[in-house]
Amino acid sequence: FDLVGVDARHLPGNGALVKALEHCSQRKAVCVGKPSPLLAELIAKDHNLDPNRTLFVGDRLDTDVRFGVESGMQSALVLTGCTTSEKVVDICKETKGNGTEEEPMPTIIFAHMGEMMLLEDACKDA
């Protein structure tokens, strides 16, 4: 699902459209979006990135953080989107802090992007 609008309505995500296209075309789709390793390789190549020195930031454990983890990047979760702090706490309790294959734990968690900027400023002054 995706959260849409100021009231954060849950609406079907891209997967629903992909399934409809697969059914109509009678072909199997190749996933090149998050968390596909094909996308990570493309991004790394096009932007000359070293995944070991890259932080992938997103608001979902199952796509964004998983993409970073499976691509060898550090990952940051921002709690302003789909994944809530309650969800993170529940998964931590269930998995003793390890997360799951589908919903891995990020390297760092920010309540909002402003916190990331504060951390950057603090590191510059250190």
Side-chain angles (χ1 to χ4, degrees):
F1 71 90
D2 287 327
L3 297 177
V4 179
V6 293
D7 56 349
R9 288 168 282 149
H10 290 137
L11 295 177
N14 289 333
L17 181 59
V18 170
K19 284 293 182 194
L21 290 170
E22 283 181 336
H23 181 75
C24 291
S25 67
Q26 297 183 357
R27 299 176 116 188
K28 180 78 174 139
V30 175
C31 177
V32 293
K34 297 175 293 186
S36 169
L38 292 173
L39 179 61
E41 291 169 17
L42 230 162
I43 292 170
K45 182 179 177 187
D46 284 357
H47 297 281
N48 197 29
L49 298 175
D50 176 359
N52 294 318
R53 296 179 40 85
T54 303
L55 177 68
F56 194 82
V57 180
D59 68 351
R60 291 181 72 139
L61 290 174
D62 63 334
T63 57
D64 302 321
V65 172
R66 184 175 174 188
F67 178 75
V69 168
E70 290 182 359
S71 302
M73 302 177 205
Q74 302 296 312
S75 60
L77 177 67
V78 182
L79 296 173
T80 53
C82 292
T83 301
T84 63
S85 56
E86 292 84 6
K87 173 80 169 177
V88 173
V89 169
D90 288 346
I91 291 172
C92 279
K93 286 179 181 176
E94 292 169 9
T95 66
K96 298 183 179 169
N98 296 317
T100 65
E101 186 177 332
E102 294 81 22
E103 294 181 306
M105 286 295 106
T107 308
I108 191 166
I109 300 172
F110 297 107
H112 53 79
M113 287 300 293
E115 284 187 343
M116 192 171 167
M117 305 312 283
L118 290 172
L119 183 61
E120 180 185 24
D121 290 344
C123 288
K124 285 180 186 173
D125 296 337

